[in-house]
Amino acid sequence: MAINKSNIFPEEVQELAALAKALGHPARIAILQALAQKQSCICGEIVEILPLSQATVSQHLKALKEAGLIKGEVEGVKSCYCLNLEYLKRMSPLLNQFFKNILSPGCC
């Protein structure tokens, strides 16, 4: 039986890893871009934007929502989604610091 040792890492590292995992599929990036471009909640239009089935889009939306990148609400038979700006604003400095640290001079 495998033991999950991710909790031995600092919380910031765990958060960055979860973010990277959520962004690890081109469809999820496309969904985030569509939501950012629309700058409002999108209800049902996401399936029309992507060349994927409704079920596949739903799976990607679920992963993005679980990661905290988007918020979603059910309105009758429709689900509406928008960017979770609070989360994105919190993660932006963490990402910037991460890249600043790994891109510092001294590496080959």
Side-chain angles (χ1 to χ4, degrees):
M1 176 182 208
I3 297 173
N4 183 350
K5 293 188 178 184
S6 62
N7 62 351
I8 65 172
F9 295 98
E11 187 175 336
E12 285 182 0
V13 172
Q14 292 179 53
E15 286 182 305
L16 286 172
L19 176 63
K21 183 178 179 180
L23 296 174
H25 195 284
R28 295 180 192 156
I29 301 293
I31 290 168
L32 292 173
Q33 289 174 327
L35 291 170
Q37 189 174 34
K38 185 79 171 184
Q39 294 186 349
S40 64
C41 288
I42 295 181
C43 302
E45 300 170 37
I46 297 172
V47 175
E48 297 168 12
I49 295 168
L50 300 173
L52 301 170
S53 72
Q54 170 68 52
T56 302
V57 171
S58 292
Q59 289 176 333
H60 289 301
L61 288 167
K62 180 181 177 185
L64 290 170
K65 189 174 178 185
E66 287 176 352
L69 288 161
I70 64 173
K71 295 188 248 183
E73 295 180 11
V74 177
E75 296 179 5
V77 295
K78 290 185 178 182
S79 294
C80 297
Y81 295 94
C82 60
L83 296 174
N84 184 349
L85 296 177
E86 296 83 23
Y87 175 82
L88 293 169
K89 287 176 185 175
R90 187 170 59 83
M91 293 307 292
S92 181
L94 289 177
L95 276 173
N96 287 334
Q97 188 61 47
F98 171 75
F99 283 115
K100 182 180 175 184
N101 290 344
I102 65 171
L103 294 174
S104 64
C107 187
C108 50

